[in-house]
Amino acid sequence: MSPTDCQLLDPMADAVHAVGALLRALDLPSEPPRDRDEFLLRFSAVDELALALMRELLGPLRPGAVWAEELNTRLPEQGEVWVADAVDGAVQLLQGLPHWCVSLTLVRERRAVAAVLHSPLLGETCTAAFGGGARRDGRLMRPSGKRTLDAALLGTSQPPGIAREPEAVQGAGRSLSALLPHVGAVRNLGATSWQIADTAAGRMDGFWQYGIDDTNLIGPALIAAEAGLSVTDLAGRPWRAGADGFLAAPQPLHPLILDTILD
């Protein structure tokens, strides 16, 4: 009998923990990459090693599931897909910064059904299965209770391919200019997935982003929704793969953020 989506979370967590331990043990150069070519070379070496381990551990769990690459991948309409980002926040990792994590999501018919994020440096793991709630290290995640923007800490980021989306670049600039005078602070704290998880856990008060970024957002969107956040595109519709914008925030703050962005 195949495991349920909730039952998949433990072996998924085991896999991301193993990958996290592998990444922490790597002897990376102390100096950051000097140019894009060197960055891509280092990233490929790290990513291929980590993904190989993840595939080895998870392959038998869902033999019929295919694997999606982290960048520039359109999720298929049918079937199951493992969306794995073994080094979510690779820029930070290779720069010697701590804001990165391991991300793994099982997607079925373009909807996330199980998601696990693991921060090896923090030693924390966030999990969610559709309809089963969201947890950090086994405890239910609860979003912020703030009700006004003036004390809110918001996060934002950009998808890897935003240079190919000029409207998203413009939207990111407009929205930042609109929000900055009204909120407590705006930060980009590294990996998109972990910022959304921090919003689900109440450490941040909202996260928004312009641009299409399905594989980075689909798992964290499940965690956010299961924690009780409102998760929409930037027109206020429920977020779905293919959307060109994303907003996750507690219900009292969500319409305030959206209205400020769209004003």
Side-chain angles (χ1 to χ4, degrees), residues 84-104:
D85 192 350
V87 195
D88 190 2
V91 171
Q92 291 81 250
L93 173 66
L94 296 178
Q95 290 284 138
L97 294 167
H99 311 298
W100 57 275
C101 67
V102 183
S103 174
L104 176 65

Side-chain angles (χ1 to χ4, degrees), residues 160-248:
I162 195 169
R164 296 186 294 273
E165 299 181 67
E167 292 184 0
V169 174
Q170 294 166 10
R174 286 195 306 268
S175 62
L176 183 61
S177 296
L179 284 165
L180 280 176
H182 301 287
V183 301
V186 174
R187 299 289 185 266
N188 184 337
L189 299 177
T192 294
S193 60
W194 200 260
Q195 292 189 80
I196 297 170
D198 275 343
T199 305
R203 288 171 168 168
M204 302 178 74
D205 303 303
F207 177 90
W208 91 98
Q209 177 176 296
Y210 276 83
I212 299 172
D213 198 12
D214 291 353
T215 52
N216 274 326
L217 292 170
I218 196 164
L222 174 64
I223 292 173
E226 290 294 329
L229 295 176
S230 295
V231 183
T232 70
D233 62 18
L234 292 173
R237 299 170 297 224
W239 185 85
R240 297 286 184 269
D244 60 3
F246 179 91
L247 172 60

Side-chain angles (χ1 to χ4, degrees), residues 18-162:
V19 171
L22 171 69
L23 293 171
R24 288 202 67 180
L26 292 178
D27 185 18
L28 297 174
S30 58
E31 295 294 325
R34 291 167 293 183
D35 54 38
R36 180 173 175 79
D37 288 343
E38 186 174 348
F39 168 81
L40 292 174
L41 186 64
R42 291 191 195 179
F43 168 73
S44 295
V46 170
D47 192 55
E48 289 171 9
L49 189 66
L51 277 177
L53 176 59
M54 196 175 285
R55 292 187 185 210
E56 176 186 342
L57 295 172
L58 290 171
L61 193 63
R62 270 301 201 262
V66 299
W67 290 79
E69 294 179 354
E70 194 270 328
L71 298 177
N72 306 324
T73 300
R74 177 174 173 78
L75 299 170
E77 298 287 344
Q78 302 295 324
E80 290 187 339
V81 182
W82 286 117
V83 176
D85 192 350
V87 195
D88 190 2
V91 171
Q92 291 81 250
L93 173 66
L94 296 178
Q95 290 284 138
L97 294 167
H99 311 298
W100 57 275
C101 67
V102 183
S103 174
L104 176 65
T105 306
L106 182 65
V107 176
R108 184 179 302 127
E109 276 77 56
R110 289 174 63 83
R111 291 178 181 266
V113 295
V116 178
L117 303 176
H118 174 57
S119 170
L121 298 185
L122 290 175
E124 295 179 350
T125 304
C126 301
T127 63
F130 183 75
R135 291 170 171 79
R136 187 177 69 210
D137 298 334
R139 296 183 178 183
L140 284 171
M141 300 170 78
R142 291 286 182 259
S144 164
K146 292 179 185 175
R147 296 181 174 274
T148 60
L149 290 181
D150 55 4
L153 169 61
L154 304 185
T156 190
S157 189
Q158 304 83 39
I162 195 169

